[in-house]
Every structure is written in C-alpha cells, then in structure tokens.
Amino acid sequence: GVLVIVEADAQKAALLVDEIVGQQEIVIKGLSGYLGSPKGISGCTVLGDGEVSLIIDISSLLSRGH
C-alpha cells in the first residue's frame, strides 16, 4: 500500500491506499437523494471511463476521530 498524507483544519492524517492511479480535474456532483448523506463522503464524480468515484470529505473524517 501507499500512505497518503491529508490535512484539513490544521489536522493531519495518513490514509493507506492500494495505489495512486493518477491525478485529474473533476466536477464534484452531489449524491442522489436515495443515498442520503453518508458521513465522510462529500459527493461523487463520473470518471472518463464512465465509472463513478466517491469523493472523501477529509474534514468530516478527521473531526469524527476526536
């Protein structure tokens, strides 16, 4: 795995990920109403190949750790 260091509101954490695929500019879309608002997820995006990817809300994840 690979550790990715994230920061929000002067708090830092490390996320263990399987791999880093790349970097790209995306448009974040809200989640559909039937999904509700899961904690730690700020939205989603549709990637170039049609896959849907969830966007992690680092700030809310770090605040839950206290």
Side-chain angles (χ1 to χ4, degrees):
V2 178
L3 284 177
V4 176
I5 306 299
V6 295
E7 181 178 7
D9 304 324
Q11 295 179 335
K12 292 183 182 179
L15 300 176
L16 179 61
V17 299
D18 293 330
E19 65 181 311
I20 298 175
V21 176
Q23 180 178 332
Q24 57 186 296
E25 292 186 28
I26 58 168
V27 175
I28 298 176
K29 300 178 180 189
L31 296 174
S32 326
Y34 67 87
L35 290 176
S37 27
K39 296 184 188 309
I41 304 295
S42 62
C44 66
T45 191
V46 179
L47 302 175
D49 62 1
E51 286 191 40
V52 175
S53 182
L54 297 176
I55 308 299
I56 298 172
D57 181 359
I58 298 299
S59 182
S60 78
L61 286 178
L62 290 177
S63 67
R64 292 183 66 189
H66 288 107

